[in-house]
Amino acid sequence: MRKNLKLFIVFVIVSMSFLSVKSFNAYAQEPVDISSMIPEGKTEEFYRTQAESIRQYNQLLDKFSSKNRSTSGKAVYDDCFGGAYLNDNGELVVLLTGNTYANRALVKEYTANPDTITKTCTYSYNELNRVVYTMNEHLEELREKGVKISSMYTDVMNNCVVIKVRGADRDAEAEIRKIVDSGCMIIQTTDEIIEYQDADSQAEIKGGYEIYNVDRGKVATLGFCAMRNGKKGYVTAGHFCPSIGQKVSYNGTVIGTVTQSGYYQNTYADAAFIESNGAANPTNMIMSYQCFSASTYEYPQNTSILMYGRSSGLVHGTIYSYNYTYVPLNPEEYTSTDHVLATYTSQRGDSGGPVFFYEGNYGGKSACTLLGIHSAKAYVLDTPGDKCPASFAKYGNIAAMLNVTAITE
């Protein structure tokens, strides 16, 4: 069991409350029993099932894409594959455009699970992703034509792509369909406002896990510790630390300087690296939970996850889409692509917070897997804040964008 766990557990995250310097010890929170935050109806067995389903899912993706090539660098899958999601039991459900005996047999071979659940769908996973990728390439062109895209994402469970437009009308839809036209597209009118979630220094503080951008007067959350070019440091949200050279402090002490930021137009990783100055010791812990390595896995829709933010504390939700583009209303803020849409709640100041899922207790140590760091929230008029979706940057994209490797020991 332990050997299999180490093969699958792929992450490292850290919370500011466990920066191990003597002067910071008084600010550290007491360890929290994460089992108390498991969503209602979820059990240790559920999380073990979910972990196995995610392993099978990535094995399936690898097999379905092994014979295909893409000039764009994006994965291309067999056209019979419509994507996959997790059901309420944490089991993998695979969608097939042709739910034939031969295709079902292929899925069961690829997952090495004779009991894999399959369902029929209309559009391939290739088609869903093609729509989003093509739209991403034309966002500025559409903006110049007055088409105010707010967000778009693949919805695997409903086998469609949702495109949300501020003030959508027939003209806006016509312009969109000039770019790409597919039966899987659902174009909706929205009044949502995408807000990056750092906060000003006067924002209410609930304690712990908070970092401060000295040059901007903003607060946010530390994500995880990493190495870059042989130097230790910390990863947080790129929009919180957009410029190289900015100083970042914790509890009144400067702990490092921004040496790389991925915050730019159409960024695929809203993240930044803060090189440590030695004032604090980067570790591989989040609260009292052990972290072993960092994940580049893809995660299916409905994966049960957790986020820890300096304002919200520990909250839970699920992944809704693994291919999400969002466009802030403020034109001075940058569009982000290839992020993740999720259902956990968030508040201002949570930007940069680690997003992860619980693995279970092994050998007396609680384990979890890092998925990325929190970025933004989509506010919708007349919708309670706890019903508004959030988004986060994927760990794999962060590692590639910043050239970082998570600290694992």
Side-chain angles (χ1 to χ4, degrees), residues 257-316:
T257 303
V258 178
T259 56
Q260 183 69 16
S261 180
Y263 185 56
Y264 57 79
Q265 192 62 268
N266 295 339
T267 180
Y268 62 89
D270 176 22
F273 180 75
I274 304 161
E275 185 175 307
S276 173
N277 62 7
N281 180 36
T283 72
N284 68 332
M285 300 292 290
I286 176 171
M287 291 181 276
S288 58
Y289 302 95
Q290 204 81 40
C291 313
F292 300 103
S293 56
S295 174
T296 56
Y297 268 15
E298 182 168 326
Y299 293 85
Q301 188 169 358
N302 211 35
T303 297
S304 184
I305 59 176
L306 297 161
M307 188 278 291
Y308 193 89
R310 97 30 157 167
S311 297
S312 296
L314 195 59
V315 293
H316 61 76

Side-chain angles (χ1 to χ4, degrees), residues 27-184:
Y27 196 61
Q29 292 184 338
E30 292 297 318
V32 178
D33 180 5
I34 201 170
S35 64
S36 67
M37 290 301 299
I38 293 177
E40 185 177 354
K42 299 294 191 294
T43 63
E44 296 268 343
E45 180 60 32
F46 166 84
Y47 283 100
R48 283 192 286 270
T49 299
Q50 174 172 269
E52 173 60 19
S53 295
I54 291 168
R55 186 195 65 78
Q56 292 176 14
Y57 175 64
N58 279 268
Q59 189 168 288
L60 184 71
L61 291 179
D62 181 62
K63 294 289 187 179
F64 268 138
S65 64
S66 61
K67 299 177 183 178
N68 301 298
R69 296 290 181 269
S70 169
T71 56
S72 67
K74 302 293 186 182
V76 177
Y77 306 96
D78 288 3
D79 281 333
C80 69
F81 179 57
Y85 62 91
L86 302 185
N87 65 18
D88 290 341
N89 297 321
E91 300 166 316
L92 186 66
V93 179
V94 180
L95 300 178
L96 295 168
T97 58
N99 198 2
T100 64
Y101 175 82
N103 286 339
R104 290 195 297 273
L106 201 61
V107 166
K108 293 173 183 180
E109 175 189 342
Y110 288 170
T111 60
N113 178 9
D115 298 320
T116 300
I117 303 167
T118 61
K119 291 188 177 183
T120 304
C121 67
T122 301
Y123 302 102
S124 70
Y125 197 44
N126 288 334
E127 179 65 4
L128 300 186
N129 285 321
R130 181 185 75 87
V131 170
V132 176
Y133 294 149
T134 304
M135 285 289 293
N136 283 343
E137 294 174 351
H138 295 273
L139 289 174
E140 289 306 308
E141 176 186 335
L142 289 168
R143 187 198 297 266
E144 290 173 1
K145 292 181 178 179
V147 180
K148 300 176 182 178
I149 302 289
S150 175
S151 63
M152 56 185 166
Y153 53 89
T154 56
D155 184 345
V156 171
M157 292 177 70
N158 292 303
N159 198 221
C160 66
V161 173
V162 177
I163 302 174
K164 295 186 176 183
V165 184
R166 299 183 183 99
D169 55 21
R170 289 183 180 179
D171 290 340
E173 180 167 348
E175 290 296 338
I176 290 171
R177 293 192 182 276
K178 287 179 185 177
I179 302 297
V180 58
D181 194 7
S182 172
C184 72

